[in-house]
Amino acid sequence: GNLSCIMSLPSSFARMSRACMMMMVMIVPFGGVVVGAFTPVPVANKRTSYLQVTNFLQDIQTKFGANTSNKVKSPKVELPANFVVPEPKPLTVTRPEDLPELLKSSVALGLRLGTGAFTLGWKIDSLTAPEDGKYALQLGPIRLRDSSSVLADAPRPTTPLIIYEYEASPFCRRVREIVNLLDLTVEYRPCPGARAGFSDELYARTGRRTVPYLVDPNTGTEMFESDDQIEYLLEAYGPSKETYDRKALWPITFKIFSVATSGFAAIVRDFAGSRPKANARPDNLQMQPLELWGYECSPFVRPVREKLSELCLPHRLVSCSRGSLNRDKMMARTGRFQVPFLVDPNTGIEMFEGPEICEYLEKVYTTAK
């Protein structure tokens, strides 16, 4: 069953093949399996089986129902005139006017007790780490190297998970924090206020506009409810329960506390990211997902996340909390570690510096001239 072979068959035979495939799919609700790319995927329960079948039928129609020469391409974007990638300046406020925003982000960090700053099972490996190209925090004569004591053998998703959410939602924040603790890479599809951005796509998929909504393409699992998503992520991609103390998760799992403090953090940030920008390009939803390296509680990363949410730009967040293996990956890629770090496949730009990233996004992904 090589799908590419079907696409090269004569048109009449291809139509017949597609019809046969559609007939195979029709037996899914009765047989209890979903045939996805010819790989059986167990249906979790009757409630989700219809949704999985519907999504699969839509996928089949997308792949085989149209002329392959008419594939949708990402919209064209251009760099601002005379654009220059800024020099990275780690842990530095380069412009006094950025200080109020940094202070408000720091207050939000404090309200959430710095949750997400460290991976689950964080530990110090060495205070005298050698200069071998791997990440280490230099503090005078000390070179601190850290890692997670429990995530090394934890399952990792082959394909990034997808979460429909928006920055200011306290329920979405809980899920984003557990994503950081587990050192996962997730594609976020912003739905500002749960009514804009990818909200229409979410409604077409589920019949609801409730966020957060988690999609795991690795298992075929999809679900609402932040509590359920947290438990699912711990079960599917967390370490063995015997290797860590679950009490360490209380800032997230103690729901009243986590929702209240996340709500206060949103108030401090003036609910940034909860409303779409009026001048955002209407085709931003069709852009290739941008790649943002960072972590939830960083006061330098937060304004970039808010901007991406307001512009309704899909983006893949690479978790870089303390103890994350992704810090070594950034060192290998760029020769340094600093967040936020943005990779834009739509323009080919890679850049550090949060304020400059926000300005770049504003210039490239709005209709303002």
Side-chain angles (χ1 to χ4, degrees):
N2 190 329
L3 295 181
S4 61
C5 292
I6 293 179
M7 303 307 296
S8 63
L9 293 172
S11 59
S12 59
F13 188 73
R15 286 195 296 270
M16 182 174 66
S17 300
R18 293 195 294 267
C20 292
M21 291 174 66
M22 297 295 283
M23 291 176 64
M24 290 169 60
V25 175
M26 292 303 293
I27 67 170
V28 169
F30 305 99
V33 296
V34 174
V35 183
F38 303 101
T39 303
V41 179
V43 173
N45 51 54
K46 292 181 179 179
R47 184 181 65 180
T48 60
S49 62
Y50 176 77
L51 176 61
Q52 290 175 315
V53 173
T54 302
N55 291 339
F56 179 66
L57 288 171
Q58 292 174 345
D59 186 51
I60 288 293
Q61 182 179 8
T62 300
K63 290 180 180 178
F64 301 107
N67 190 326
T68 56
S69 64
N70 295 327
K71 290 183 178 179
V72 177
K73 296 182 179 180
S74 298
K76 183 179 179 181
V77 292
E78 297 180 352
L79 287 175
N82 303 316
F83 177 78
V84 177
V85 175
E87 288 293 325
K89 301 177 182 65
L91 299 176
T92 302
V93 180
T94 57
R95 299 180 300 193
E97 61 268 26
D98 296 329
L99 187 58
E101 289 300 307
L102 179 62
L103 291 175
K104 288 196 293 184
S105 293
S106 299
V107 171
L109 180 158
L111 286 169
R112 289 297 298 133
L113 306 181
T115 306
F118 300 87
T119 56
L120 188 61
W122 178 80
K123 67 182 179 71
I124 296 175
D125 295 324
S126 173
L127 295 176
T128 57
E131 295 188 14
D132 55 1
K134 294 185 178 180
Y135 170 75
L137 177 62
Q138 187 79 49
L139 298 170
I142 297 174
R143 278 183 56 82
L144 186 151
R145 180 167 295 168
D146 50 7
S147 65
S148 168
S149 62
V150 299
L151 292 179
D153 298 323
R156 302 288 87 179
T158 303
T159 303
L161 286 69
I162 299 169
I163 298 180
Y164 294 82
E165 54 86 50
Y166 68 94
E167 172 64 26
S169 165
F171 300 97
C172 297
R173 189 182 307 277
R174 301 176 70 217
V175 178
R176 295 196 303 265
E177 289 173 345
I178 203 71
V179 163
N180 285 162
L181 262 68
L182 296 178
D183 203 24
L184 300 174
T185 297
V186 169
E187 179 181 325
Y188 291 112
R189 297 185 179 177
C191 306
R195 291 296 181 272
F198 284 89
S199 178
D200 286 345
E201 179 179 295
L202 176 61
Y203 183 79
R205 184 173 198 135
T206 67
R208 294 170 59 182
R209 297 183 186 273
T210 307
V211 294
Y213 184 72
L214 171 68
V215 178
D216 186 348
N218 303 280
T219 63
T221 301
E222 304 190 8
M223 64 179 67
F224 292 100
E225 301 302 330
S226 58
D227 284 335
D228 294 340
Q229 292 172 31
I230 290 167
E231 294 303 320
Y232 171 79
L233 292 173
L234 286 168
E235 185 69 28
Y237 301 112
S240 172
K241 295 179 181 178
E242 295 77 24
T243 62
Y244 71 98
D245 186 354
R246 187 177 171 88
K247 295 187 182 69
L249 302 175
W250 78 265
I252 298 175
T253 56
F254 183 19
K255 189 172 185 179
I256 294 177
F257 173 82
S258 63
V259 171
T261 53
S262 294
F264 288 136
I267 293 173
V268 169
R269 294 295 300 161
D270 302 319
F271 295 99
S274 63
R275 296 174 293 274
K277 288 187 70 68
N279 64 340
R281 286 180 54 146
D283 55 1
N284 279 350
L285 278 67
Q286 283 76 52
M287 299 292 176
Q288 296 183 66
L290 285 70
E291 184 176 275
L292 177 65
W293 296 60
Y295 52 98
E296 177 65 24
C297 69
S298 167
F300 298 97
V301 175
R302 187 176 302 280
V304 178
R305 269 270 313 160
E306 292 167 348
K307 182 66 68 175
L308 290 167
S309 183
E310 292 170 349
L311 294 173
C312 304
L313 282 168
H315 56 283
R316 188 168 295 171
L317 190 133
V318 183
S319 293
C320 296
S321 303
R322 294 216 61 88
S324 170
L325 291 175
N326 291 321
R327 295 194 172 210
D328 285 344
K329 294 178 182 178
M330 183 186 289
M331 288 288 296
R333 178 171 185 162
T334 69
R336 65 188 307 121
F337 176 78
Q338 180 181 332
V339 294
F341 175 58
L342 181 76
V343 179
D344 188 346
N346 300 295
T347 62
I349 285 295
E350 299 186 4
M351 60 187 295
F352 295 97
E353 295 301 317
E356 284 83 354
I357 290 175
C358 289
E359 290 179 355
Y360 162 83
L361 294 172
E362 185 77 25
K363 291 177 180 178
V364 174
Y365 293 104
T366 64
T367 56
K369 301 298 182 182

